[in-house]
């Protein structure tokens, strides 16, 4: 047992020493409550901020997911039958059997039918009961119209309305969480849900009776319909027509069921539809045929099948890197398509396509958010280091006493670490608790803004980051303060007669072989070496592999380097700027006070450097993130304005079976609306591309006369006043002999009839100028053609009539509604001509300009137009084109509506970030001022004994804090301006959009005023506590 007794003594001694350390720590806390409260509060803010921000920022991709869902519906994978198979329907029952695993079982069939419908109450008194079949197909006793296609419209005098009827399986879509905000019950049999905008525009309410004009053969396919109906007593053509009477049982919002652009939707239950259709079919068909139709399994004749990811469905989208998201979704879709037959199906990933349109915006926002996290982490580490350094500096005498009594260095280090953990551990626990509570509110707010349910749990990454800052960082941050405390000789540590503030410091370095390593040189050399490796290898790798994530990570490190570099560079001008601030703002006060303030700033320069760096970096960072986000937002808006050319337009999309594009037919009606409406100033037309207007033309090829250099382009015609109608600011003419706004009118002159507007890139790629002639070849060959800069053989045209010799009218860097550029990444650009020239290019295919297929009808609105006016104009345009196939009205407000939600969410985040950054700086400033005043208590006592009044002393230290904060804020403004302006230039270079640099005057003014207020608070409290004591006690 002797061995046990022997080992027990050192253990008891160790425990006794640890208890003494704890006792000393609590004694210190009771003695310096303010200092402890400062350290505890600072660490609490750091842990709270980091854990909350990292957890919340990991969910910011949900904002862009929500945008994609609003634009395309909550559809991960959409499949339909391939036209090359000869079938138009998908057997959903077979798909369901093949996708038998749990992770692929979240799917549902869909039918989408474009239909006309009538309000029964508008039909008049001559019609029969709504559910009666005879009068709908054969007429009334007073009006017989059997076998006539126009029978029903001639009896029912109601206005014809159009809608998109969706057949959905409510139970399946509920299981797959399709329509996250959908709160409607299952659709009752024989009833329909009407979308809210359609119900408002047509004054439809619950209980109304509608009659749908359906093509029955389009539901199950023509062959199946004929086989099912069999022998009938009327013509096959009329037998396809079914007048289905339904009651309105609900009004709904789209809620993610389909894309947000659809505003005229109706919903019916998929499983009940075929029986309702059979009951409403013509009374002239045989009863057995009606029964056969009712027995059909509509699940074997689905238009499409929607397949969603298994829960949690949003997990694969939680990445700001589009390439990573694309990999997740493509892997999911590929596995499904391989199993059910990829060679027989057409597939589409709607949400991924929606994310693709905003991938650059998402990537740059991810870059900004990463920068925010880094800067806040850097500020937090600097704050913890500053607090520990000040804690050690203020206890130099106490450490000297311990050393004089024989305490070893190890125990002194242990004591300092105990005291560091005395506020870091409680603040770590309290910070995580507060962050968890705040996360509930933050995620609730984000959920209400985005509509996506977000977990309120703190992420593992956030907790680990907060733990590192709250527990691990204090250990490493204590190294330099402890070395500083133990590096002083004992006499200096115990000297209480002299002030610890030194205006002059002398450092002696011995030049000896094997001396101390210069860590400054090591750090700078390593940073430059890494910078060289990044520029020389990683940057070309990112460009060649088109890895935008890697490229933006390089931009991230460059921005970090710019911010830190400018902050460190600003330190060299700090003293001069402080002198300037003293002269400009304290000139009216006593010269003696100004002199003391300047000497205090010199004496405290080393300690104040940390505060200067933090304030300048924080303010520069706040300006940068505000500017960068406003630039990204402006880019998003300008891209849509430039691509469309107007805030409101009518556009045609889709193709006829022969390959020609749908076009606007109701031209006269649209022009009449434009001419008669007082809020519409003018209008303009844009044709389809020539390749979409002529079925035989495969491509249009621009080349020089020798056909040595070639490029594919897109030929379109415009009306004479086009650029006067489009949005201003996007027309950039690189080279022309005419005024910028007149070039479209010159196209309509004699010389302009053989001229075209070209992109500036062709000046270098093909070697064109304003005097050059070039060839435009209308290629009808089926040979694949690529764009080359060197000599290649152009496919032979079918005739000489397909080769046009022309000259450039102007070279454009950009233009509204067209694709022009001076950079080579856009080799296939627009080619704009007048409408008569476009007609001549079409040969004999069109006889006049009126027959040219038009793609866009653009209108220019007056500056005082209101949303109410826009809604009325939009409704008129829709009514005018309701019978035009593939034609819709595009509204700029709808395209930016989703991004405004994201902006609202990001504004909350940026406001929170700004507050946190300023709080961190306030704690740093307060700790610095507390130490400055504590170390100058002897000077304060001497000045007081010489008769200096208390008010003077207040002014001296408040002025010092004011000058420090004001000069640091000015440096921060310059840093933020420089970095923000640089990023704006980069975005202009990338997008070729007229993005202007907007300095955030409002937020800078608010932050600036708060900085001044923080400076007053940080200095007033410490100097007040000192001046409240008697002179002999100081």
């Amino acid at each position: 047992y002797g061995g046990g007794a022997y080992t027990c003594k050192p253990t008891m001694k160790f425990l006794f020493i640890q208890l003494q350390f704890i006792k000393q720590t609590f004694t210190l806390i009771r003695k310096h409550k303010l200092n402890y409260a400062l350290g505890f509060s600072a660490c609490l803010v750091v842990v709270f901020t980091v854990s909350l921000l990292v957890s919340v920022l990991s969910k910011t991709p949900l904002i862009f997911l929500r945008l994609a869902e609003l634009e395309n519906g909550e559809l991960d994978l959409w499949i339909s039958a391939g036209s090359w198979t000869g079938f138009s329907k998908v057997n959903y029952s077979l798909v369901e059997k093949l996708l038998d695993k749990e992770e692929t079982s979240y799917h549902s069939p869909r039918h989408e039918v474009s239909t006309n419908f009538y309000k029964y109450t508008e039909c008049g008194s001559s019609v029969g009961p709504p559910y009666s079949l005879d009068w709908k197909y054969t007429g009334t006793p007073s009006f017989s119209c059997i076998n006539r296609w126009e029978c029903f419209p001639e009896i029912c005098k109601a206005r014809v309305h159009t809608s998109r009827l969706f057949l959905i399986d409510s139970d399946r879509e509920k299981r797959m969480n399709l329509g996250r905000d959908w709160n409607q019950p299952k659709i009752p049999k024989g009833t329909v849900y009407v979308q809210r905008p359609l119900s408002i525009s047509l004054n439809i309410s619950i209980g109304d009776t509608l009659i749908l004009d359906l093509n029955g053969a389009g539901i199950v396919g023509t062959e199946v319909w004929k086989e099912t109906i069999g022998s009938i007593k009327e013509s096959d053509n009329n037998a396809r027509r079914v007048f289905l009477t339904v009651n309105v049982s609900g009004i709904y919002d789209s809620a993610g069921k389909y894309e947000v652009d659809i505003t005229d939707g109706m919903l019916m239950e998929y499983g009940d539809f075929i029986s309702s259709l059979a009951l409403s079919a013509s009374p002239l068909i045989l009863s057995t045929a009606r029964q056969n139709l009712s027995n059909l399994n509509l699940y074997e004749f689905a238009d499409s099948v929607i397949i969603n990811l298994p829960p949690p469905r949003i997990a694969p989208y939680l990445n700001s890197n589009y390439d990573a998201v694309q990999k997740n979704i493509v892997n999911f879709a590929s596995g499904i398509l391989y199993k059910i037959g990829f060679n027989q199906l057409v597939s589409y990933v709607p949400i991924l396509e929606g994310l693709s349109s905003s991938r650059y915006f998402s990537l740059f926002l991810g870059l900004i958010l990463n920068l925010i996290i880094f800067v806040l982490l850097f500020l937090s580490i600097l704050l913890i280091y500053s607090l520990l350094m000040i804690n050690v500096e203020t206890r130099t005498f106490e450490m000297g006493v311990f050393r004089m009594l024989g305490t070893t260095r190890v125990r002194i280090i242990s004591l300092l670490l105990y005291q560091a953990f005395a506020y870091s551990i409680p603040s770590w626990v309290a910070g995580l608790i507060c962050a968890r509570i705040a996360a509930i509110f933050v995620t609730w707010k984000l959920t209400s803004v985005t509509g996506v349910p977000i977990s309120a749990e703190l992420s593992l990454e956030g907790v680990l980051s907060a733990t590192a800052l709250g527990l691990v960082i204090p250990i490493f941050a204590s190294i330099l303060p402890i070395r500083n405390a133990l590096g002083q000789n004992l006499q200096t540590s115990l000297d209480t007669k002299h002030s610890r503030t030194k205006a002059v410091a002398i450092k002696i370095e011995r030049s000896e072989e094997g001396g101390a390593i210069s860590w400054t040189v090591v750090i700078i050399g390593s940073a430059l070496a890494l910078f060289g490796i990044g520029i020389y290898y990683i940057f070309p790798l990112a460009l060649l592999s088109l890895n935008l994530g890697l490229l933006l990570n390089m931009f991230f490190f460059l921005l970090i380097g710019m911010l830190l570099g400018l902050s460190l560079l600003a330190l060299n001008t700090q003293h001069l700027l402080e002198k300037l601030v003293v002269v400009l703002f304290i000139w009216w006060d006593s010269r003696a006070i100004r002199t003391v303030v300047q000497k205090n700033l010199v004496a405290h320069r080393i300690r104040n450097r940390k505060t200067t760096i933090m304030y300048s970096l924080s303010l520069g960072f706040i300006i940068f993130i505000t500017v960068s986000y406003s630039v990204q937002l402006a880019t998003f808006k300008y891209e849509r304005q430039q691509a469309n050319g107007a805030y409101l337009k009518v556009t045609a999309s889709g193709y006829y079976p022969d390959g020609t594009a749908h076009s606007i037919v109701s031209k006269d009606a649209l022009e009449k609306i434009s001419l008669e409406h007082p809020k519409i100033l003018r209008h303009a037309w844009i044709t389809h591309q020539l390749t979409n207007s002529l079925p035989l033309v495969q491509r249009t090829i621009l080349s020089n006369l020798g056909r040595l250099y070639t490029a594919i382009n897109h030929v379109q015609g415009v009306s004479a006043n086009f650029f006067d109608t489009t949005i201003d600011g996007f027309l950039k003419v690189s080279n022309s002999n005419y005024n910028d706004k007149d070039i479209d009118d010159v196209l309509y002159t004699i010389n302009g009839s053989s001229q075209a507007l070209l992109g500036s890139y062709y000046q270098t790629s093909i070697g064109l100028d304003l005097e050059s002639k070039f060839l435009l070849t209308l290629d009808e060959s089926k040979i694949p053609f690529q764009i080359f800069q060197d000599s290649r053989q152009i496919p032979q045209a079918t005739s000489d009539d397909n080769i046009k010799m022309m000259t450039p009218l102007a070279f454009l860097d950009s233009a509204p509604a067209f694709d022009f550029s001076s950079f080579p990444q856009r080799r296939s650009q627009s080619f704009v001509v007048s409408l008569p020239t476009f007609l001549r290019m079409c040969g004999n295919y069109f006889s006049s300009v009126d027959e040219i297929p038009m793609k866009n009808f653009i209108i220019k609105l007056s500056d005082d137009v209101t949303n109410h006016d826009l809604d009325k104009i939009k409704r008129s345009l829709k009514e005018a084109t309701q019978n035009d196939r593939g034609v819709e009205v595009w509204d700029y407000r709808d395209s930016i509506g989703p991004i405004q939600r994201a902006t609202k969410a990001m504004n909350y985040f940026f406001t929170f970030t700004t507050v946190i950054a300023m709080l961190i700086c306030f704690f740093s400033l307060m700790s610095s001022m507390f130490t400055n005043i504590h170390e100058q208590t002897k000077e304060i006592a001497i000045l007081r004994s010489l008769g200096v009044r208390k008010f003077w002393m207040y002014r001296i230290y408040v002025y010092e804090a004011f000058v420090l904060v004001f000069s640091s804020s000015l440096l921060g403004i310059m840093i933020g301006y420089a970095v923000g302006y640089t990023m704006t230039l980069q975005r202009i270079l990338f997008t070729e959009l007229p993005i202007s640099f907007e300095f955030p005057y409002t937020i800078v003014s608010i932050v600036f005023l708060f900085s001044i207020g923080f400076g007053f608070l940080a200095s007033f409290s410490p100097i007040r506590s000192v001046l409240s004591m008697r002179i002999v006690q100081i």
Side-chain angles (χ1 to χ4, degrees):
Y1 299 103
Y6 178 77
T7 57
C8 183
K9 290 182 179 180
T11 303
M12 294 300 295
K13 183 179 179 181
F14 174 79
L15 292 175
F16 176 76
I17 293 173
Q18 304 309 312
L19 290 174
Q20 290 298 313
F21 286 162
I22 295 174
K23 182 179 179 181
Q24 286 286 339
T25 300
F26 279 104
T27 302
L28 179 67
I29 292 174
R30 287 194 298 269
K31 185 178 179 181
H32 301 287
K33 294 183 180 65
L34 178 61
N35 198 10
Y36 177 79
L38 182 63
F40 176 84
S41 302
C43 285
L44 174 65
V45 170
V46 168
V47 173
F48 169 80
T49 302
V50 172
S51 58
L52 183 61
L53 279 185
V54 173
S55 299
V56 173
L57 290 182
S58 64
K59 301 177 177 66
T60 51
L62 291 176
I63 296 175
F64 297 96
L65 171 63
R66 185 56 176 169
L67 298 182
E69 288 179 343
L70 288 173
E71 292 179 356
N72 303 277
E74 298 172 18
L75 318 175
D76 295 326
L77 176 62
W78 178 92
I79 60 173
S80 64
S83 58
W84 59 88
T85 64
F87 297 96
S88 61
K89 305 298 178 181
V90 178
N91 189 338
Y92 173 74
S93 299
L94 181 58
V95 171
E96 188 175 25
K97 292 179 181 179
L98 293 173
L99 302 179
D100 53 352
K101 294 184 178 180
E102 175 66 21
E103 60 271 16
T104 59
S105 64
Y106 297 90
H107 43 69
S108 179
R110 276 282 183 94
H111 254 291
E112 180 180 349
V113 182
S114 296
T115 178
N116 294 333
F117 72 94
Y118 306 81
K119 293 181 67 175
Y120 177 74
T121 54
E122 296 178 354
C123 284
S125 58
S126 61
V127 300
Y131 289 95
S132 173
L133 299 180
D134 293 335
W135 69 272
K136 299 175 186 175
Y137 296 93
T138 62
T140 61
S142 60
F143 185 85
S144 177
C145 55
I146 190 170
N147 290 337
R148 285 179 55 186
W149 183 262
E150 300 84 3
C151 182
F152 181 86
E154 290 183 3
I155 296 176
C156 177
K157 303 300 183 180
R159 183 178 177 183
V160 182
H161 307 289
T162 59
S163 175
R164 300 192 199 185
L165 176 64
F166 293 88
L167 306 183
I168 66 170
D169 190 317
S170 299
D171 294 333
R172 283 183 168 86
E173 294 194 2
K174 181 178 180 180
R175 179 179 177 272
M176 62 192 290
N177 198 25
L178 177 53
R180 190 179 299 109
D181 299 329
W182 182 259
N183 54 7
Q184 300 282 357
K186 185 176 180 178
I187 307 172
K189 183 178 181 180
T191 67
V192 67
Y193 285 170
V194 178
Q195 193 171 356
R196 191 175 306 279
L198 181 63
S199 69
I200 294 174
S201 62
L202 299 181
N203 195 25
I204 298 174
S205 58
I206 296 177
D208 286 354
T209 300
L210 307 179
I211 301 177
L212 310 183
D213 185 357
L214 299 171
N215 179 8
I219 303 296
V220 295
T222 302
E223 297 300 324
V224 175
W225 180 267
K226 288 182 178 180
E227 182 180 347
T228 304
I229 297 299
S231 176
I232 54 177
K233 300 177 182 178
E234 57 176 322
S235 65
D236 288 345
N237 192 35
N238 212 15
R240 299 180 183 181
R241 201 167 189 181
V242 178
F243 296 99
L244 177 61
T245 302
V246 293
N247 280 332
V248 178
S249 60
I251 307 295
Y252 73 96
D253 297 305
S254 62
K257 291 290 187 181
Y258 42 76
E259 56 267 33
V260 72
D261 290 340
I262 298 178
T263 58
D264 58 350
M266 291 184 181
L267 300 180
M268 290 190 70
E269 194 63 39
Y270 195 97
D272 300 330
F273 180 77
I274 195 68
S275 59
S276 299
L277 189 73
L279 292 174
S280 300
S282 171
L284 301 177
I285 68 173
L286 300 175
S287 58
T288 55
R290 189 184 303 275
Q291 185 62 39
N292 291 338
L293 180 61
S294 179
N295 292 337
L296 280 179
N297 184 4
L298 192 59
Y299 286 92
E300 296 179 356
F301 306 97
D303 271 350
S304 59
V305 177
I306 297 168
I307 307 172
N308 274 6
L309 291 159
R313 178 180 153 266
I314 62 176
Y317 295 104
L318 292 180
N319 196 316
S320 60
N321 189 340
Y322 174 79
D323 293 338
V325 175
Q326 185 181 43
K327 181 179 179 181
N328 294 333
I329 304 305
V330 168
N331 288 341
F332 169 76
S334 299
I336 290 177
L337 292 172
Y338 180 80
K339 197 167 185 178
I340 62 178
F342 62 88
N343 60 335
Q344 302 178 47
L345 300 168
V346 175
S347 62
Y348 177 57
V349 279
I351 291 182
L352 192 63
E353 290 295 323
L355 292 174
S356 176
S357 63
S358 62
R359 64 185 184 276
Y360 298 116
F361 185 81
S362 177
L363 278 173
F364 274 95
L365 182 59
L367 173 68
I368 295 171
L369 297 180
N370 289 335
L371 183 64
I372 289 172
I373 293 176
F374 178 86
V375 172
L376 288 180
L377 288 176
F378 178 80
L379 292 176
S380 301
I381 293 171
L382 196 60
L383 175 60
I384 292 174
Y385 167 74
S386 176
L387 290 174
L388 290 173
M389 178 67 81
I390 290 170
N391 183 42
V392 172
E393 287 178 350
T394 55
R395 299 179 57 210
T396 305
F397 177 76
E398 183 181 346
M399 296 299 103
V401 172
F402 280 126
R403 291 168 60 191
M404 183 182 67
L405 295 176
T407 306
T408 63
R409 289 175 176 264
V410 174
R411 291 181 178 176
I412 291 178
I413 293 173
S414 300
L415 177 60
L416 290 175
L417 289 177
Y418 262 97
Q419 293 166 355
F421 284 123
Y423 59 77
S424 64
I425 292 179
S427 62
W428 171 71
V429 175
L432 289 180
I433 294 174
C434 293
R436 179 64 179 83
I437 296 172
I440 297 174
F441 171 76
V442 172
T443 53
W444 169 78
K445 194 66 179 178
L446 284 177
T447 299
S448 64
V449 172
T450 63
V452 180
I454 302 174
S455 172
E457 298 294 331
L458 297 177
S459 67
L460 179 62
E461 183 183 359
V463 174
L464 291 179
S465 300
T467 302
L469 282 175
L471 300 180
V472 180
I473 295 298
I475 297 176
F476 292 98
S478 300
I479 294 175
L480 288 179
I482 290 173
R483 286 186 60 187
N484 184 48
L486 299 180
Q488 296 183 7
N489 60 59
L490 192 57
Q491 180 182 355
T492 304
S493 300
L494 297 174
D495 186 4
T496 59
K497 296 182 179 180
H498 297 87
S499 173
R500 299 191 183 280
T501 302
K502 298 178 181 179
V504 179
I506 300 174
K507 184 177 181 181
I508 301 175
E509 293 185 358
R510 297 180 64 87
S511 180
E512 295 179 351
E513 185 178 354
I517 298 176
S518 176
W519 290 106
T520 303
V521 175
V522 171
I523 293 173
I524 293 176
S526 301
L528 291 176
L530 291 174
F531 178 77
I533 293 172
I535 297 299
Y536 193 74
Y537 175 73
I538 299 179
F539 185 70
L541 175 64
L543 292 178
L544 292 174
S545 62
L546 297 178
N547 190 335
L548 291 177
L550 181 60
L551 187 62
L552 286 179
N553 283 331
M554 288 203 63
F555 288 159
F556 167 72
F557 287 111
L558 289 175
L559 285 172
I560 291 295
M562 288 178 62
L563 279 173
L564 296 180
L566 288 171
S567 298
L568 294 175
L569 186 63
L571 289 177
N572 294 314
T573 61
Q574 176 193 1
H575 184 57
L576 294 176
L577 194 58
E578 287 173 349
K579 283 187 174 181
L580 181 63
V581 171
V582 170
V583 172
L584 291 178
F585 293 94
I586 317 179
W587 57 269
W588 50 271
D589 212 328
S590 169
R591 181 178 179 182
I593 289 181
R594 297 201 306 270
T595 303
V596 174
V597 170
Q598 290 182 350
K599 291 185 178 297
N600 276 354
L601 291 169
V602 172
H604 302 149
R605 183 184 303 174
I606 301 300
R607 183 178 295 108
N608 288 344
R609 277 182 178 177
K610 293 187 288 294
T611 302
T612 300
I613 291 176
M614 293 182 71
Y615 257 97
S616 58
L617 181 62
S618 298
L619 193 57
F621 155 72
I622 291 169
I623 294 173
F624 166 72
I625 62 172
T626 305
V627 170
S628 58
Y629 186 72
S630 64
V631 167
Q632 301 308 318
L633 188 61
T635 301
F636 186 87
K637 293 180 178 180
Y638 285 165
E639 283 177 343
R640 278 150 179 75
Q641 293 176 16
Q642 189 274 332
N644 294 279
Y647 296 111
L648 193 66
K649 71 173 185 178
V650 180
T651 183
S653 60
Y655 298 89
Y656 292 104
D658 64 354
T660 57
H662 293 154
S663 62
I664 300 174
V665 178
S666 308
K667 301 176 186 177
D668 294 338
L670 292 176
E671 290 187 346
K672 182 179 179 182
I673 293 173
S674 174
L675 294 173
E676 293 179 354
H677 202 287
K679 299 296 183 179
I680 300 178
L681 301 180
R682 59 185 67 89
H683 65 267
W685 292 97
I686 305 177
T687 69
H688 272 289
Q689 295 179 18
L690 194 63
T691 53
N692 293 331
S693 303
L694 302 178
L696 297 179
V697 176
Q698 302 299 311
R699 58 186 65 85
T700 52
I701 304 166
L702 173 69
S703 66
N704 61 350
L705 294 180
R707 303 191 188 183
L708 183 63
Y709 301 107
T710 63
I712 293 178
N713 49 65
H714 311 298
V715 179
Q716 290 180 271
V718 297
S719 56
N721 60 342
F722 178 75
F723 290 124
D724 291 330
T725 307
T726 55
I727 301 175
D728 295 331
F730 295 106
L731 178 62
K732 291 184 179 180
V733 180
S734 172
N735 192 5
S736 175
N737 293 326
Y738 303 95
N739 293 329
D740 293 355
K741 282 296 186 72
D742 295 336
I743 55 177
D744 53 345
D745 295 331
V746 177
L747 288 173
Y748 283 82
T749 62
I750 296 177
N751 292 332
S753 62
S754 61
Q755 293 180 316
L757 304 179
L758 305 179
S760 301
Y761 172 65
Y762 294 143
Q763 293 182 97
T764 55
S765 64
I766 300 183
L768 299 179
D769 56 37
L770 293 176
E771 306 300 326
S772 300
K773 294 183 179 181
F774 62 86
L775 298 179
L776 179 70
T777 304
L778 311 186
D779 177 37
E780 297 180 358
S781 68
K782 300 295 183 180
I783 303 174
F785 187 83
Q786 298 179 1
I787 305 171
F788 299 104
Q789 284 187 300
D790 55 352
S791 177
R792 299 290 167 128
Q793 183 178 1
I794 301 177
Q796 183 63 41
T798 55
S799 67
D800 291 340
D801 292 338
N802 284 7
I803 301 177
K804 318 292 182 182
M805 181 179 294
M806 305 182 71
T807 58
L809 173 63
F811 293 99
L812 309 182
D813 289 336
S814 67
F818 291 108
D819 192 11
F820 293 110
S821 177
S822 59
F823 296 115
Q825 74 268 19
R826 297 184 185 176
R827 295 183 179 178
S828 181
Q829 300 186 15
S830 297
F831 185 106
V832 179
V833 297
S834 65
L835 294 181
T837 303
F838 188 89
L839 179 64
R840 287 201 308 274
M841 289 181 177
C842 295
N844 297 324
Y845 198 81
F846 304 112
S847 59
S848 68
V849 171
D850 293 335
E851 296 181 5
I852 295 176
M854 295 296 176
K855 178 177 177 59
N856 292 319
F857 176 73
I858 293 177
I859 60 176
K860 187 176 184 65
L861 303 166
S862 62
D863 295 334
D864 60 344
V865 66
T866 63
N867 285 328
H868 179 69
D869 296 329
L870 279 172
D871 292 335
K872 292 180 64 177
I873 295 173
K874 185 177 178 180
R875 194 178 303 115
S876 300
L877 296 176
K878 281 186 174 182
E879 292 174 354
T881 58
Q882 63 178 346
N883 295 322
D884 292 5
R885 191 171 180 181
V887 175
E888 60 183 15
V889 179
W890 181 86
D891 189 347
Y892 173 72
R893 297 173 299 171
D894 297 334
S895 69
I896 65 168
I899 199 64
Q900 289 177 338
R901 292 193 178 188
T903 301
K904 185 177 180 181
M906 294 309 301
N907 285 337
Y908 287 124
F909 168 70
F910 287 146
T911 302
F912 176 76
T913 303
T914 302
V915 172
I916 293 299
M918 296 309 299
L919 277 178
I920 292 175
C921 292
F922 170 69
F923 283 122
S924 176
L925 176 64
M926 191 167 185
S927 61
S928 294
M929 293 304 300
F930 177 83
T931 307
N932 292 342
I933 294 173
H934 178 78
E935 289 188 347
Q936 284 192 308
T937 51
K938 293 189 178 298
E939 287 88 341
I940 294 172
I942 292 172
L943 290 174
R944 290 284 291 120
S945 63
L946 293 176
V948 176
R949 296 189 298 273
K950 289 184 179 181
F951 184 60
W952 278 44
M953 300 306 302
Y954 279 120
R955 282 152 57 192
I956 288 172
Y957 286 96
V958 169
Y959 286 161
E960 180 185 355
F962 167 77
V963 173
L964 176 62
V965 172
F966 195 93
S967 58
S968 302
S969 299
L970 289 178
L971 292 174
I973 290 174
M974 290 186 284
I975 292 170
Y977 185 92
V979 180
Y981 187 72
T982 303
M983 188 171 190
T984 304
L985 293 178
Q986 183 204 57
R987 296 300 294 152
I988 294 174
L989 184 66
F990 279 178
T991 62
E992 298 182 86
L993 295 173
I995 303 171
S996 59
F997 176 76
E998 296 181 3
F999 189 79
Y1001 292 102
T1002 303
I1003 192 168
V1004 169
S1005 301
I1006 294 173
V1007 170
F1008 201 80
L1009 292 175
F1010 270 98
S1011 299
I1012 303 303
F1014 284 162
F1016 173 79
L1017 293 176
S1019 58
F1020 183 80
S1021 181
I1023 189 62
R1024 183 173 178 273
S1025 63
V1026 172
L1027 294 179
S1028 63
M1029 296 186 294
R1030 299 173 60 186
I1031 296 177
V1032 294
Q1033 294 176 327
I1034 299 177

